[in-house]
mmCIF file of all heavy atoms in Angstrom:
data_model
loop_
_atom_site.group_PDB
_atom_site.id
_atom_site.type_symbol
_atom_site.label_atom_id
_atom_site.label_comp_id
_atom_site.label_asym_id
_atom_site.label_seq_id
_atom_site.Cartn_x
_atom_site.Cartn_y
_atom_site.Cartn_z
ATOM 1 N N SER A 1 44.459 -38.900 217.326
ATOM 2 C CA SER A 1 43.433 -39.727 216.649
ATOM 3 C C SER A 1 43.436 -41.194 217.100
ATOM 4 O O SER A 1 42.336 -41.718 217.374
ATOM 5 C CB SER A 1 43.730 -39.641 215.019
ATOM 6 O OG SER A 1 42.842 -40.465 214.345
ATOM 7 N N VAL A 2 44.663 -41.710 217.129
ATOM 8 C CA VAL A 2 44.760 -43.194 217.555
ATOM 9 C C VAL A 2 44.176 -43.409 218.997
ATOM 10 O O VAL A 2 43.510 -44.463 219.186
ATOM 11 C CB VAL A 2 46.203 -43.575 217.495
ATOM 12 C CG1 VAL A 2 46.332 -45.072 217.986
ATOM 13 C CG2 VAL A 2 46.679 -43.619 215.977
ATOM 14 N N ILE A 3 44.495 -42.533 219.933
ATOM 15 C CA ILE A 3 44.036 -42.782 221.277
ATOM 16 C C ILE A 3 42.603 -42.607 221.528
ATOM 17 O O ILE A 3 42.074 -43.006 222.495
ATOM 18 C CB ILE A 3 44.895 -41.961 222.365
ATOM 19 C CG1 ILE A 3 44.550 -40.465 222.137
ATOM 20 C CG2 ILE A 3 46.335 -42.186 222.221
ATOM 21 C CD1 ILE A 3 45.127 -39.570 223.275
ATOM 22 N N ARG A 4 41.955 -41.894 220.533
ATOM 23 C CA ARG A 4 40.465 -41.732 220.532
ATOM 24 C C ARG A 4 39.656 -42.722 219.761
ATOM 25 O O ARG A 4 38.521 -42.580 219.512
ATOM 26 C CB ARG A 4 40.088 -40.260 220.284
ATOM 27 C CG ARG A 4 40.536 -39.380 221.336
ATOM 28 C CD ARG A 4 40.109 -37.903 221.070
ATOM 29 N NE ARG A 4 40.888 -37.207 220.056
ATOM 30 C CZ ARG A 4 40.826 -36.001 219.634
ATOM 31 N NH1 ARG A 4 39.829 -35.291 220.176
ATOM 32 N NH2 ARG A 4 41.559 -35.436 218.773
ATOM 33 N N ASP A 5 40.378 -43.733 219.287
ATOM 34 C CA ASP A 5 39.698 -44.767 218.404
ATOM 35 C C ASP A 5 39.435 -46.022 219.316
ATOM 36 O O ASP A 5 40.415 -46.580 219.853
ATOM 37 C CB ASP A 5 40.628 -45.160 217.329
ATOM 38 C CG ASP A 5 39.999 -46.052 216.191
ATOM 39 O OD1 ASP A 5 39.007 -46.763 216.638
ATOM 40 O OD2 ASP A 5 40.419 -46.077 215.093
ATOM 41 N N PRO A 6 38.229 -46.355 219.465
ATOM 42 C CA PRO A 6 37.867 -47.604 220.271
ATOM 43 C C PRO A 6 38.668 -48.834 219.941
ATOM 44 O O PRO A 6 38.875 -49.665 220.694
ATOM 45 C CB PRO A 6 36.366 -47.721 220.035
ATOM 46 C CG PRO A 6 35.899 -46.397 219.800
ATOM 47 C CD PRO A 6 36.953 -45.726 218.930
ATOM 48 N N GLU A 7 38.953 -48.963 218.546
ATOM 49 C CA GLU A 7 39.656 -50.137 218.116
ATOM 50 C C GLU A 7 41.047 -50.319 218.702
ATOM 51 O O GLU A 7 41.489 -51.411 218.905
ATOM 52 C CB GLU A 7 39.810 -50.087 216.533
ATOM 53 C CG GLU A 7 40.452 -51.358 215.977
ATOM 54 C CD GLU A 7 40.632 -51.286 214.476
ATOM 55 O OE1 GLU A 7 40.316 -50.223 213.872
ATOM 56 O OE2 GLU A 7 41.136 -52.201 213.878
ATOM 57 N N THR A 8 41.671 -49.137 219.110
ATOM 58 C CA THR A 8 42.942 -49.229 219.736
ATOM 59 C C THR A 8 42.928 -49.985 220.998
ATOM 60 O O THR A 8 43.802 -50.792 221.386
ATOM 61 C CB THR A 8 43.443 -47.820 220.064
ATOM 62 O OG1 THR A 8 43.497 -47.076 218.812
ATOM 63 C CG2 THR A 8 44.858 -47.823 220.644
ATOM 64 N N TYR A 9 41.827 -49.802 221.796
ATOM 65 C CA TYR A 9 41.697 -50.496 223.060
ATOM 66 C C TYR A 9 41.229 -51.899 222.961
ATOM 67 O O TYR A 9 41.310 -52.774 223.871
ATOM 68 C CB TYR A 9 40.872 -49.692 224.018
ATOM 69 C CG TYR A 9 41.322 -48.239 224.175
ATOM 70 C CD1 TYR A 9 40.962 -47.241 223.403
ATOM 71 C CD2 TYR A 9 42.408 -48.016 225.086
ATOM 72 C CE1 TYR A 9 41.501 -45.915 223.451
ATOM 73 C CE2 TYR A 9 43.011 -46.746 225.143
ATOM 74 C CZ TYR A 9 42.535 -45.760 224.329
ATOM 75 O OH TYR A 9 43.068 -44.382 224.459
ATOM 76 N N ASP A 10 40.605 -52.223 221.844
ATOM 77 C CA ASP A 10 40.240 -53.602 221.511
ATOM 78 C C ASP A 10 41.505 -54.426 221.228
ATOM 79 O O ASP A 10 41.586 -55.598 221.534
ATOM 80 C CB ASP A 10 39.289 -53.652 220.331
ATOM 81 C CG ASP A 10 37.831 -53.158 220.651
ATOM 82 O OD1 ASP A 10 37.557 -53.143 221.872
ATOM 83 O OD2 ASP A 10 37.162 -52.758 219.741
ATOM 84 N N LYS A 11 42.534 -53.766 220.571
ATOM 85 C CA LYS A 11 43.646 -54.513 220.123
ATOM 86 C C LYS A 11 44.777 -54.523 221.120
ATOM 87 O O LYS A 11 45.666 -55.469 221.045
ATOM 88 C CB LYS A 11 44.234 -53.883 218.795
ATOM 89 C CG LYS A 11 43.333 -54.198 217.605
ATOM 90 C CD LYS A 11 43.971 -53.801 216.323
ATOM 91 C CE LYS A 11 43.119 -54.225 215.106
ATOM 92 N NZ LYS A 11 43.784 -54.011 213.783
ATOM 93 N N PHE A 12 44.864 -53.567 222.108
ATOM 94 C CA PHE A 12 45.916 -53.537 223.023
ATOM 95 C C PHE A 12 45.498 -53.390 224.504
ATOM 96 O O PHE A 12 44.489 -52.745 224.750
ATOM 97 C CB PHE A 12 46.862 -52.335 222.689
ATOM 98 C CG PHE A 12 47.535 -52.529 221.332
ATOM 99 C CD1 PHE A 12 47.033 -51.919 220.205
ATOM 100 C CD2 PHE A 12 48.756 -53.218 221.223
ATOM 101 C CE1 PHE A 12 47.616 -52.085 219.042
ATOM 102 C CE2 PHE A 12 49.377 -53.396 220.059
ATOM 103 C CZ PHE A 12 48.868 -52.776 218.923
ATOM 104 N N GLU A 13 46.269 -54.056 225.335
ATOM 105 C CA GLU A 13 45.969 -53.994 226.749
ATOM 106 C C GLU A 13 46.322 -52.718 227.369
ATOM 107 O O GLU A 13 45.711 -52.185 228.328
ATOM 108 C CB GLU A 13 46.630 -55.164 227.509
ATOM 109 C CG GLU A 13 46.267 -56.490 226.986
ATOM 110 C CD GLU A 13 47.038 -57.614 227.751
ATOM 111 O OE1 GLU A 13 47.807 -57.304 228.660
ATOM 112 O OE2 GLU A 13 46.929 -58.756 227.358
ATOM 113 N N ARG A 14 47.416 -52.106 226.909
ATOM 114 C CA ARG A 14 47.909 -50.807 227.337
ATOM 115 C C ARG A 14 48.302 -49.888 226.152
ATOM 116 O O ARG A 14 48.877 -50.393 225.247
ATOM 117 C CB ARG A 14 49.119 -50.945 228.301
ATOM 118 C CG ARG A 14 48.813 -51.818 229.500
ATOM 119 C CD ARG A 14 50.115 -51.953 230.377
ATOM 120 N NE ARG A 14 50.004 -52.924 231.400
ATOM 121 C CZ ARG A 14 50.158 -54.239 231.260
ATOM 122 N NH1 ARG A 14 50.555 -54.697 230.076
ATOM 123 N NH2 ARG A 14 50.058 -55.092 232.286
ATOM 124 N N VAL A 15 48.061 -48.630 226.279
ATOM 125 C CA VAL A 15 48.374 -47.649 225.314
ATOM 126 C C VAL A 15 49.215 -46.466 226.007
ATOM 127 O O VAL A 15 48.692 -45.881 226.838
ATOM 128 C CB VAL A 15 47.158 -47.118 224.591
ATOM 129 C CG1 VAL A 15 47.547 -46.015 223.553
ATOM 130 C CG2 VAL A 15 46.286 -48.112 223.989
ATOM 131 N N ILE A 16 50.412 -46.392 225.589
ATOM 132 C CA ILE A 16 51.313 -45.419 226.227
ATOM 133 C C ILE A 16 51.696 -44.307 225.240
ATOM 134 O O ILE A 16 52.370 -44.612 224.248
ATOM 135 C CB ILE A 16 52.657 -46.090 226.720
ATOM 136 C CG1 ILE A 16 52.311 -47.196 227.718
ATOM 137 C CG2 ILE A 16 53.512 -45.012 227.419
ATOM 138 C CD1 ILE A 16 52.342 -48.563 227.040
ATOM 139 N N VAL A 17 51.168 -43.094 225.426
ATOM 140 C CA VAL A 17 51.511 -42.001 224.568
ATOM 141 C C VAL A 17 52.479 -41.043 225.267
ATOM 142 O O VAL A 17 52.273 -40.653 226.314
ATOM 143 C CB VAL A 17 50.175 -41.223 224.124
ATOM 144 C CG1 VAL A 17 49.485 -40.667 225.257
ATOM 145 C CG2 VAL A 17 50.606 -40.104 223.207
ATOM 146 N N THR A 18 53.656 -40.742 224.572
ATOM 147 C CA THR A 18 54.646 -39.930 225.144
ATOM 148 C C THR A 18 54.639 -38.630 224.316
ATOM 149 O O THR A 18 54.540 -38.681 223.031
ATOM 150 C CB THR A 18 56.036 -40.591 225.193
ATOM 151 O OG1 THR A 18 56.655 -40.517 223.898
ATOM 152 C CG2 THR A 18 55.941 -41.974 225.683
ATOM 153 N N HIS A 19 54.865 -37.540 224.946
ATOM 154 C CA HIS A 19 54.876 -36.218 224.229
ATOM 155 C C HIS A 19 56.049 -35.413 224.842
ATOM 156 O O HIS A 19 55.925 -35.020 226.040
ATOM 157 C CB HIS A 19 53.577 -35.549 224.311
ATOM 158 C CG HIS A 19 53.408 -34.402 223.398
ATOM 159 N ND1 HIS A 19 52.538 -33.316 223.560
ATOM 160 C CD2 HIS A 19 54.017 -34.007 222.261
ATOM 161 C CE1 HIS A 19 52.637 -32.468 222.598
ATOM 162 N NE2 HIS A 19 53.557 -32.876 221.764
ATOM 163 N N THR A 20 56.989 -35.026 224.075
ATOM 164 C CA THR A 20 58.111 -34.263 224.500
ATOM 165 C C THR A 20 58.154 -32.887 223.674
ATOM 166 O O THR A 20 58.090 -32.900 222.465
ATOM 167 C CB THR A 20 59.443 -34.944 224.337
ATOM 168 O OG1 THR A 20 59.485 -36.156 225.134
ATOM 169 C CG2 THR A 20 60.603 -34.056 224.800
ATOM 170 N N CYS A 21 58.182 -31.848 224.371
ATOM 171 C CA CYS A 21 58.245 -30.406 223.741
ATOM 172 C C CYS A 21 59.374 -29.668 224.384
ATOM 173 O O CYS A 21 59.934 -29.991 225.409
ATOM 174 C CB CYS A 21 56.918 -29.763 224.016
ATOM 175 S SG CYS A 21 55.477 -30.648 223.076
ATOM 176 N N ARG A 22 59.569 -28.540 223.743
ATOM 177 C CA ARG A 22 60.564 -27.622 224.293
ATOM 178 C C ARG A 22 60.176 -26.908 225.576
ATOM 179 O O ARG A 22 60.894 -26.759 226.558
ATOM 180 C CB ARG A 22 61.040 -26.588 223.288
ATOM 181 C CG ARG A 22 61.614 -27.185 221.990
ATOM 182 C CD ARG A 22 61.670 -26.171 220.854
ATOM 183 N NE ARG A 22 60.313 -25.644 220.601
ATOM 184 C CZ ARG A 22 60.123 -24.639 219.658
ATOM 185 N NH1 ARG A 22 61.122 -24.080 218.981
ATOM 186 N NH2 ARG A 22 58.900 -24.239 219.432
ATOM 187 N N GLU A 23 58.938 -26.397 225.562
ATOM 188 C CA GLU A 23 58.357 -25.686 226.715
ATOM 189 C C GLU A 23 57.072 -26.287 227.154
ATOM 190 O O GLU A 23 56.372 -26.945 226.363
ATOM 191 C CB GLU A 23 58.065 -24.255 226.298
ATOM 192 C CG GLU A 23 59.367 -23.574 225.773
ATOM 193 C CD GLU A 23 59.036 -22.166 225.263
ATOM 194 O OE1 GLU A 23 57.909 -21.807 225.206
ATOM 195 O OE2 GLU A 23 60.026 -21.465 224.803
ATOM 196 N N ALA A 24 56.720 -26.089 228.419
ATOM 197 C CA ALA A 24 55.593 -26.647 229.031
ATOM 198 C C ALA A 24 54.274 -26.310 228.345
ATOM 199 O O ALA A 24 53.299 -27.161 228.221
ATOM 200 C CB ALA A 24 55.435 -26.339 230.514
ATOM 201 N N ALA A 25 54.120 -25.072 227.935
ATOM 202 C CA ALA A 25 52.895 -24.621 227.280
ATOM 203 C C ALA A 25 52.671 -25.471 225.968
ATOM 204 O O ALA A 25 51.482 -25.562 225.529
ATOM 205 C CB ALA A 25 53.027 -23.172 226.976
ATOM 206 N N GLU A 26 53.715 -25.963 225.376
ATOM 207 C CA GLU A 26 53.537 -26.695 224.095
ATOM 208 C C GLU A 26 52.882 -28.118 224.327
ATOM 209 O O GLU A 26 52.526 -28.785 223.418
ATOM 210 C CB GLU A 26 54.882 -26.865 223.408
ATOM 211 C CG GLU A 26 55.465 -25.501 223.001
ATOM 212 C CD GLU A 26 56.861 -25.671 222.433
ATOM 213 O OE1 GLU A 26 57.476 -26.729 222.592
ATOM 214 O OE2 GLU A 26 57.345 -24.653 221.834
ATOM 215 N N LEU A 27 52.784 -28.451 225.611
ATOM 216 C CA LEU A 27 52.062 -29.697 225.966
ATOM 217 C C LEU A 27 50.530 -29.555 226.154
ATOM 218 O O LEU A 27 49.813 -30.480 226.293
ATOM 219 C CB LEU A 27 52.631 -30.237 227.266
ATOM 220 C CG LEU A 27 54.042 -30.697 227.270
ATOM 221 C CD1 LEU A 27 54.578 -30.887 228.759
ATOM 222 C CD2 LEU A 27 54.322 -31.959 226.411
ATOM 223 N N ASP A 28 50.122 -28.288 226.075
ATOM 224 C CA ASP A 28 48.701 -28.044 226.416
ATOM 225 C C ASP A 28 47.663 -28.793 225.484
ATOM 226 O O ASP A 28 46.658 -29.285 225.997
ATOM 227 C CB ASP A 28 48.427 -26.457 226.223
ATOM 228 C CG ASP A 28 48.978 -25.690 227.391
ATOM 229 O OD1 ASP A 28 49.456 -26.345 228.371
ATOM 230 O OD2 ASP A 28 48.919 -24.430 227.324
ATOM 231 N N TYR A 29 48.026 -28.898 224.229
ATOM 232 C CA TYR A 29 47.102 -29.622 223.355
ATOM 233 C C TYR A 29 46.907 -31.063 223.702
ATOM 234 O O TYR A 29 45.902 -31.666 223.789
ATOM 235 C CB TYR A 29 47.447 -29.487 221.865
ATOM 236 C CG TYR A 29 46.612 -30.254 220.916
ATOM 237 C CD1 TYR A 29 45.270 -29.862 220.602
ATOM 238 C CD2 TYR A 29 47.143 -31.369 220.306
ATOM 239 C CE1 TYR A 29 44.475 -30.595 219.795
ATOM 240 C CE2 TYR A 29 46.278 -32.118 219.411
ATOM 241 C CZ TYR A 29 45.017 -31.740 219.142
ATOM 242 O OH TYR A 29 44.193 -32.463 218.316
ATOM 243 N N SER A 30 48.061 -31.750 224.012
ATOM 244 C CA SER A 30 48.012 -33.149 224.343
ATOM 245 C C SER A 30 47.311 -33.333 225.649
ATOM 246 O O SER A 30 46.546 -34.343 225.774
ATOM 247 C CB SER A 30 49.407 -33.755 224.355
ATOM 248 O OG SER A 30 50.304 -33.277 225.199
ATOM 249 N N LYS A 31 47.595 -32.519 226.570
ATOM 250 C CA LYS A 31 47.033 -32.627 227.940
ATOM 251 C C LYS A 31 45.499 -32.428 227.784
ATOM 252 O O LYS A 31 44.746 -33.179 228.421
ATOM 253 C CB LYS A 31 47.595 -31.538 228.894
ATOM 254 C CG LYS A 31 48.965 -31.777 229.480
ATOM 255 C CD LYS A 31 49.376 -30.723 230.312
ATOM 256 C CE LYS A 31 50.734 -30.880 230.973
ATOM 257 N NZ LYS A 31 51.122 -29.800 231.843
ATOM 258 N N TRP A 32 45.124 -31.522 227.021
ATOM 259 C CA TRP A 32 43.638 -31.204 226.866
ATOM 260 C C TRP A 32 42.994 -32.409 226.164
ATOM 261 O O TRP A 32 41.962 -32.869 226.566
ATOM 262 C CB TRP A 32 43.490 -29.926 226.014
ATOM 263 C CG TRP A 32 42.045 -29.629 225.793
ATOM 264 C CD1 TRP A 32 41.227 -28.857 226.591
ATOM 265 C CD2 TRP A 32 41.233 -29.982 224.674
ATOM 266 N NE1 TRP A 32 39.942 -28.804 226.066
ATOM 267 C CE2 TRP A 32 39.871 -29.520 224.832
ATOM 268 C CE3 TRP A 32 41.511 -30.787 223.511
ATOM 269 C CZ2 TRP A 32 38.892 -29.714 223.965
ATOM 270 C CZ3 TRP A 32 40.408 -30.986 222.578
ATOM 271 C CH2 TRP A 32 39.193 -30.467 222.843
ATOM 272 N N THR A 33 43.656 -32.918 225.115
ATOM 273 C CA THR A 33 43.059 -34.008 224.370
ATOM 274 C C THR A 33 42.923 -35.305 225.326
ATOM 275 O O THR A 33 41.853 -35.924 225.268
ATOM 276 C CB THR A 33 43.953 -34.388 223.153
ATOM 277 O OG1 THR A 33 44.072 -33.231 222.371
ATOM 278 C CG2 THR A 33 43.401 -35.517 222.372
ATOM 279 N N VAL A 34 43.906 -35.669 226.039
ATOM 280 C CA VAL A 34 43.892 -36.787 226.893
ATOM 281 C C VAL A 34 42.858 -36.610 227.936
ATOM 282 O O VAL A 34 42.047 -37.496 228.332
ATOM 283 C CB VAL A 34 45.286 -37.142 227.551
ATOM 284 C CG1 VAL A 34 45.100 -38.136 228.656
ATOM 285 C CG2 VAL A 34 46.261 -37.471 226.437
ATOM 286 N N GLY A 35 42.869 -35.357 228.603
ATOM 287 C CA GLY A 35 41.879 -35.072 229.631
ATOM 288 C C GLY A 35 40.470 -35.159 229.192
ATOM 289 O O GLY A 35 39.586 -35.724 229.907
ATOM 290 N N LYS A 36 40.116 -34.594 228.020
ATOM 291 C CA LYS A 36 38.758 -34.629 227.558
ATOM 292 C C LYS A 36 38.340 -35.963 227.148
ATOM 293 O O LYS A 36 37.168 -36.338 227.380
ATOM 294 C CB LYS A 36 38.634 -33.705 226.262
ATOM 295 C CG LYS A 36 38.792 -32.300 226.586
ATOM 296 C CD LYS A 36 37.624 -31.709 227.439
ATOM 297 C CE LYS A 36 36.326 -31.681 226.753
ATOM 298 N NZ LYS A 36 35.210 -31.126 227.527
ATOM 299 N N MET A 37 39.309 -36.767 226.681
ATOM 300 C CA MET A 37 38.863 -38.168 226.274
ATOM 301 C C MET A 37 38.621 -38.978 227.571
ATOM 302 O O MET A 37 37.683 -39.794 227.549
ATOM 303 C CB MET A 37 40.137 -38.809 225.571
ATOM 304 C CG MET A 37 39.707 -40.147 224.876
ATOM 305 S SD MET A 37 41.150 -41.098 224.462
ATOM 306 C CE MET A 37 41.455 -41.828 226.041
ATOM 307 N N MET A 38 39.373 -38.792 228.603
ATOM 308 C CA MET A 38 39.138 -39.587 229.785
ATOM 309 C C MET A 38 37.756 -39.104 230.482
ATOM 310 O O MET A 38 37.197 -39.879 231.214
ATOM 311 C CB MET A 38 40.219 -39.341 230.826
ATOM 312 C CG MET A 38 41.604 -39.886 230.338
ATOM 313 S SD MET A 38 41.536 -41.636 229.865
ATOM 314 C CE MET A 38 41.164 -42.417 231.405
ATOM 315 N N GLU A 39 37.294 -37.996 230.212
ATOM 316 C CA GLU A 39 36.044 -37.517 230.716
ATOM 317 C C GLU A 39 34.866 -37.958 229.801
ATOM 318 O O GLU A 39 33.679 -37.824 230.262
ATOM 319 C CB GLU A 39 35.978 -35.941 230.784
ATOM 320 C CG GLU A 39 36.986 -35.388 231.729
ATOM 321 C CD GLU A 39 37.040 -33.871 231.606
ATOM 322 O OE1 GLU A 39 36.254 -33.279 230.730
ATOM 323 O OE2 GLU A 39 37.837 -33.236 232.392
ATOM 324 N N HIS A 40 35.191 -38.438 228.634
ATOM 325 C CA HIS A 40 34.128 -38.866 227.672
ATOM 326 C C HIS A 40 33.359 -40.104 228.218
ATOM 327 O O HIS A 40 34.022 -41.025 228.748
ATOM 328 C CB HIS A 40 34.803 -39.217 226.362
ATOM 329 C CG HIS A 40 33.774 -39.384 225.188
ATOM 330 N ND1 HIS A 40 33.141 -40.573 225.003
ATOM 331 C CD2 HIS A 40 33.381 -38.584 224.276
ATOM 332 C CE1 HIS A 40 32.350 -40.472 223.944
ATOM 333 N NE2 HIS A 40 32.466 -39.243 223.437
ATOM 334 N N GLU A 41 32.073 -40.106 228.107
ATOM 335 C CA GLU A 41 31.330 -41.163 228.728
ATOM 336 C C GLU A 41 31.672 -42.490 228.225
ATOM 337 O O GLU A 41 31.647 -43.492 229.005
ATOM 338 C CB GLU A 41 29.778 -40.843 228.416
ATOM 339 C CG GLU A 41 28.870 -41.833 229.068
ATOM 340 C CD GLU A 41 27.392 -41.515 228.797
ATOM 341 O OE1 GLU A 41 27.173 -40.638 228.016
ATOM 342 O OE2 GLU A 41 26.509 -42.274 229.302
ATOM 343 N N PHE A 42 31.896 -42.638 226.977
ATOM 344 C CA PHE A 42 32.143 -43.989 226.357
ATOM 345 C C PHE A 42 33.658 -44.218 226.246
ATOM 346 O O PHE A 42 34.188 -45.253 226.760
ATOM 347 C CB PHE A 42 31.594 -44.072 224.960
ATOM 348 C CG PHE A 42 31.947 -45.306 224.244
ATOM 349 C CD1 PHE A 42 31.568 -46.529 224.698
ATOM 350 C CD2 PHE A 42 32.641 -45.186 222.967
ATOM 351 C CE1 PHE A 42 31.905 -47.737 224.055
ATOM 352 C CE2 PHE A 42 32.992 -46.426 222.308
ATOM 353 C CZ PHE A 42 32.593 -47.660 222.829
ATOM 354 N N LEU A 43 34.475 -43.281 225.723
ATOM 355 C CA LEU A 43 35.908 -43.464 225.545
ATOM 356 C C LEU A 43 36.614 -43.523 226.899
ATOM 357 O O LEU A 43 37.581 -44.340 227.032
ATOM 358 C CB LEU A 43 36.510 -42.291 224.775
ATOM 359 C CG LEU A 43 36.129 -42.291 223.278
ATOM 360 C CD1 LEU A 43 36.690 -40.994 222.635
ATOM 361 C CD2 LEU A 43 36.579 -43.481 222.539
ATOM 362 N N GLY A 44 36.200 -42.741 227.867
ATOM 363 C CA GLY A 44 36.847 -42.737 229.173
ATOM 364 C C GLY A 44 36.795 -44.111 229.793
ATOM 365 O O GLY A 44 37.727 -44.552 230.429
ATOM 366 N N GLU A 45 35.574 -44.846 229.613
ATOM 367 C CA GLU A 45 35.466 -46.146 230.211
ATOM 368 C C GLU A 45 36.408 -47.121 229.521
ATOM 369 O O GLU A 45 37.002 -48.024 230.156
ATOM 370 C CB GLU A 45 34.023 -46.639 230.089
ATOM 371 C CG GLU A 45 33.727 -47.920 230.757
ATOM 372 C CD GLU A 45 32.225 -48.245 230.679
ATOM 373 O OE1 GLU A 45 31.390 -47.245 230.551
ATOM 374 O OE2 GLU A 45 31.888 -49.436 230.749
ATOM 375 N N LEU A 46 36.573 -46.988 228.190
ATOM 376 C CA LEU A 46 37.397 -47.874 227.424
ATOM 377 C C LEU A 46 38.834 -47.712 227.782
ATOM 378 O O LEU A 46 39.594 -48.710 227.958
ATOM 379 C CB LEU A 46 37.285 -47.586 225.947
ATOM 380 C CG LEU A 46 36.050 -48.179 225.173
ATOM 381 C CD1 LEU A 46 36.233 -47.830 223.740
ATOM 382 C CD2 LEU A 46 36.027 -49.687 225.288
ATOM 383 N N ALA A 47 39.348 -46.487 227.986
ATOM 384 C CA ALA A 47 40.716 -46.123 228.253
ATOM 385 C C ALA A 47 41.027 -46.179 229.731
ATOM 386 O O ALA A 47 42.234 -46.241 230.060
ATOM 387 C CB ALA A 47 40.903 -44.724 227.744
ATOM 388 N N ASP A 48 40.062 -46.324 230.577
ATOM 389 C CA ASP A 48 40.391 -46.397 232.071
ATOM 390 C C ASP A 48 41.287 -47.479 232.388
ATOM 391 O O ASP A 48 41.010 -48.648 232.143
ATOM 392 C CB ASP A 48 39.078 -46.460 232.846
ATOM 393 C CG ASP A 48 39.312 -46.389 234.317
ATOM 394 O OD1 ASP A 48 40.230 -45.683 234.765
ATOM 395 O OD2 ASP A 48 38.558 -47.004 235.031
#
C-alpha cells in the first residue's frame, strides 16, 4: 500500500522495501506488486 501511494514519493527521496521469505516462491506477490507499479503510467514515473 505504502509504495503505491504518491504521497510517499513526495515525502522521501528514496524508498527501500525489503522482503525476506523462507522460499523464493513466497516472494512472488511482492515482485509482482513492485513490477506492476513500475509499469504504471503515473506511479512508475514517480517511483523511477
Side-chain angles (χ1 to χ4, degrees):
S1 178
V2 173
I3 65 173
R4 289 185 281 184
D5 189 335
E7 185 182 359
T8 302
Y9 303 96
D10 288 338
K11 290 192 170 185
F12 294 95
E13 296 176 11
R14 302 179 189 85
V15 179
I16 304 97
V17 58
T18 80
H19 193 203
T20 299
C21 294
R22 297 167 302 176
E23 301 174 358
E26 296 175 348
L27 295 168
D28 286 353
Y29 176 70
S30 61
K31 285 183 177 180
W32 180 88
T33 300
V34 171
K36 292 296 290 185
M37 195 200 75
M38 296 306 295
E39 295 172 0
H40 192 278
E41 182 178 6
F42 175 61
L43 291 177
E45 185 176 333
L46 279 181
D48 187 32

